[in-house]
Amino acid sequence: MKELSQERAPIYEALERFNKMRVVPFDVPGHKRGRGNPELTRLLGESCIRLDVNSMKPLDNLCHPVSVIREAEDLAAEAFHASHAFLMVGGTTSAVQSMILSATRRGEKIILPRNVHRSVMGAMVLNGAIPVYVNPEGNERLGIPLGMSVEAVKKAIQENPDAKAVFVNNPTYYGICSDLRAIVELAHANHMLCLVDEAHGTHFYFSDKLPLSAMDAGADMAAVSMHKSGGSLTQSSLLLTGPAMQEGHVRQIINLTQTTSGSYLLLSSLDISRRNLALRGKEAFERVIELAEYARKEINQIGGYYAYSRELINGDSIYDFDVTKLSVNTLDVGLAGIEVYDLLRDEYDIQIEFGDLGNILAYLSIGDRSREIERLVSALSEIRRRFGREKGGLMKQEYIDPRVAVSPQDAFYAEKESLPLMETAGRICSEFVMCYPPGIPILAPGEEITEDILHYIVYAKEKGCSMTGPEDAAIERLNVLKGV
């Protein structure tokens, strides 16, 4: 086998070689290296548009890689401690769905927390798997769901010994990690696979000061958002697999849904970003940790805000905490998280990752600098002074236990009817309702609609949360199962 060197970037190098050739394009894309679309060339730049090319022998093929893409996959696997790494151009949504489609079939059970990304539910709609939810504990002060306790996972496994896999978030959007190694060992002891949504944990592989990564915990598959904390282009991701997974089978599953026209801009960004992290990631994330800890200290000194961290660790449902996640509770300032989110953008030209009913998340990574941190801290201080009010009347974001009545697939494809939102209590939902980001469904197909859920949706809409999912974009009506 060819010796690997993390200083290589084989896809990028192949594109550089190709760019020096005078190849006449009688293939797609139709802009023909930008000549057919001058406005697009001006927007993206000539060097970028010239590298927007199609698969060909010198550049390999994403569906069946044998040369430069294959070498890039091998390098990524080495850098991320995996048996194999697949380059994904459909985002981590595609990677998560490929994990579930690889591990389960119609009618088979998968054990998972309810606070998963919509891509998990989407995968179950596609293949007919049955969710067995482990209801996460909640933090009363923050109003957020936590990780899965080991005992709760053990109970779910005992009650569902025929389940095929256990699914874990590592970390949650807020930075909270479960005891991943213990859950992996539990799953394997019961002949189940362990699948990990590591969308927000790319950096775990490059620092011993951060929580344990999925591959180092022995997980069978992990979906990693390189474009989040890893620095690649939006929509580029990695799917990592352990030794128990058959590479050929997983690739067949990926090829069911992933494009046959993989973007070389995305692929080369994965290649270059992997090289950057492999060579400089440890040092880079040391700096990110320092910035986050400094920001947390400064924000907590403002008063009212609570930028939480490792003090939450309880050894189980909060087994560890990702200190690079600058999660801040806003309720004691008298403002919902989404209100602070809007104020930061509209009044201070600061775009943070998301705001929910009680929290905001400022996403810190390798591109951040001290001056931006100072600007964020200053803006939060001013928001408290200018817009802060009494806490009374604010609703916490609370975890609402789902009542699963029908499988997600059966509900999504069942005969349905549209009803006014407030007339749907007691009915079975046939579509998704979620705030995005983070994209965790409030309702998923097959779940009973309750009064608590309806009040939550109405309140979130009033506060300005970006609600997505239903056919009715205004979310004044919901689709429910007909006659159920």
Side-chain angles (χ1 to χ4, degrees):
M1 182 178 169
K2 187 176 178 181
E3 189 174 344
L4 298 175
S5 168
Q6 290 295 335
E7 294 184 358
R8 296 281 316 282
I11 299 174
Y12 168 69
E13 291 161 12
L15 284 169
E16 288 278 272
R17 289 192 297 272
F18 174 79
N19 206 23
K20 292 173 183 174
M21 300 165 66
R22 301 184 66 183
V23 176
V24 178
F26 283 108
D27 61 349
V28 296
H31 59 65
K32 304 291 175 155
R33 315 293 189 263
R35 292 193 301 271
N37 197 338
E39 289 89 351
L40 185 62
T41 303
R42 281 197 294 273
L43 175 66
L44 299 181
E46 192 171 330
S47 61
C48 177
I49 207 76
R50 282 181 59 80
L51 297 181
D52 182 37
V53 293
N54 195 29
S55 295
M56 59 187 77
K57 193 168 185 180
L59 299 179
D60 210 355
N61 187 298
L62 183 60
C63 295
H64 186 76
V66 295
S67 59
V68 295
I69 294 177
R70 177 70 200 205
E71 188 179 351
E73 289 183 343
D74 291 344
L75 285 163
E78 182 182 75
F80 285 84
H81 319 157
S83 295
H84 194 78
F86 299 88
L87 308 187
M88 308 294 293
V89 295
T92 308
T93 288
S94 179
V96 165
Q97 291 179 344
S98 294
M99 287 199 301
I100 292 171
L101 296 177
S102 296
T104 59
R105 294 179 291 186
R106 179 174 170 81
E108 293 182 339
K109 297 176 185 175
I110 179 168
I111 295 168
L112 69 165
R114 178 56 177 75
N115 57 321
V116 290
H117 189 261
R118 66 171 295 174
S119 57
V120 177
M121 309 291 189
M124 291 188 288
V125 167
L126 290 173
N127 80 339
I130 308 297
V132 175
Y133 291 125
V134 174
N135 292 335
E137 295 177 22
N139 181 289
E140 181 63 27
R141 177 180 178 185
L142 304 178
I144 61 172
L146 307 177
M148 294 191 292
S149 75
V150 174
E151 280 303 313
V153 175
K154 187 183 292 185
K155 182 172 182 287
I157 288 175
Q158 289 170 346
E159 293 174 355
N160 300 274
D162 55 340
K164 296 298 179 181
V166 178
F167 187 96
V168 189
N169 295 317
N170 192 55
T172 69
Y173 226 131
Y174 302 94
I176 291 163
C177 297
S178 304
D179 186 351
L180 185 56
R181 195 189 297 280
I183 292 172
V184 168
E185 289 172 357
L186 258 179
H188 289 173
N190 288 275
H191 312 292
M192 299 176 190
L193 297 173
C194 186
L195 317 178
V196 181
D197 181 346
E198 214 159 36
H200 300 281
T202 306
H203 44 300
F204 290 2
Y205 293 87
F206 303 97
S207 175
D208 55 9
K209 295 181 179 178
L210 292 170
L212 185 68
S213 71
M215 289 294 105
D216 290 332
D220 298 291
M221 305 182 83
V224 176
S225 278
M226 276 289 278
H227 69 95
K228 289 189 169 73
S229 59
S232 64
L233 289 177
T234 297
Q235 203 175 306
S236 59
S237 184
L238 294 175
L239 175 57
L240 308 176
T241 59
M245 306 305 299
Q246 293 184 349
E247 178 197 330
H249 172 65
V250 175
R251 193 171 314 269
Q252 282 187 325
I253 295 294
I254 291 170
N255 287 342
L256 289 175
T257 56
Q258 182 159 260
T259 179
T260 56
S261 304
S263 164
Y264 279 87
L265 299 175
L266 297 180
L267 292 171
S268 59
S269 85
L270 281 170
D271 202 19
I272 294 166
S273 298
R274 180 270 315 152
R275 180 174 67 179
N276 181 47
L277 294 185
L279 299 180
R280 294 176 284 275
K282 192 175 190 325
E283 177 187 325
F285 288 117
E286 285 274 342
R287 176 66 175 150
V288 176
I289 292 169
E290 288 175 10
L291 285 174
E293 295 287 34
Y294 170 76
R296 194 171 280 115
K297 179 170 73 75
E298 292 294 308
I299 291 168
N300 284 332
Q301 286 177 355
I302 294 170
Y305 298 107
Y306 175 31
Y308 38 98
S309 186
R310 294 176 60 84
E311 72 277 359
L312 297 178
I313 290 173
N314 59 21
D316 193 13
S317 58
I318 312 175
Y319 186 78
D320 207 345
F321 187 85
D322 175 10
V323 294
T324 73
K325 296 288 184 296
L326 188 54
S327 302
V328 184
N329 187 265
T330 65
L331 292 180
D332 284 350
V333 181
L335 295 169
I338 187 62
E339 292 176 305
V340 176
Y341 170 97
D342 286 339
L343 288 166
L344 283 168
R345 186 193 59 245
D346 297 341
E347 299 285 330
Y348 299 93
D349 294 331
I350 294 174
Q351 181 63 55
I352 58 171
E353 178 67 10
F354 80 87
D356 59 30
L357 297 190
N359 302 271
I360 59 171
L361 172 64
Y363 209 100
L364 303 190
S365 194
I366 55 179
D368 286 297
R369 301 170 298 180
S370 298
R371 70 182 72 169
E372 282 86 16
I373 298 295
E374 298 291 359
R375 187 169 161 188
L376 173 64
V377 172
S378 175
L380 288 173
S381 180
E382 279 200 31
I383 286 171
R384 177 178 183 263
R385 179 178 57 81
R386 293 177 61 197
F387 303 100
R389 51 181 182 255
E390 289 298 313
K391 183 181 176 181
L394 285 174
M395 180 180 180
K396 288 181 181 175
Q397 172 166 316
E398 295 178 353
Y399 174 78
I400 303 171
D401 287 353
R403 301 178 189 172
V404 181
V406 180
S407 81
Q409 186 182 64
D410 288 343
F412 189 82
Y413 290 110
E415 194 174 354
K416 61 198 74 172
E417 60 182 323
S418 174
L419 293 178
L421 179 67
M422 298 310 292
E423 294 178 19
T424 59
R427 302 295 293 271
I428 308 303
C429 192
S430 70
E431 56 188 352
F432 293 97
V433 183
M434 70 207 81
C435 294
Y436 190 85
I440 297 165
I442 300 165
L443 274 171
E447 294 178 359
E448 183 183 336
I449 303 167
T450 65
E451 293 284 355
D452 284 346
I453 289 170
L454 291 175
H455 291 315
Y456 184 95
I457 291 170
V458 169
Y459 184 84
K461 283 175 62 181
E462 288 173 352
K463 287 297 180 183
C465 288
S466 177
M467 308 285 284
T468 65
E471 280 185 19
D472 176 21
I475 316 186
E476 293 171 353
R477 305 179 70 86
L478 280 181
N479 286 341
V480 298
L481 268 61
K482 199 165 189 177
V484 179

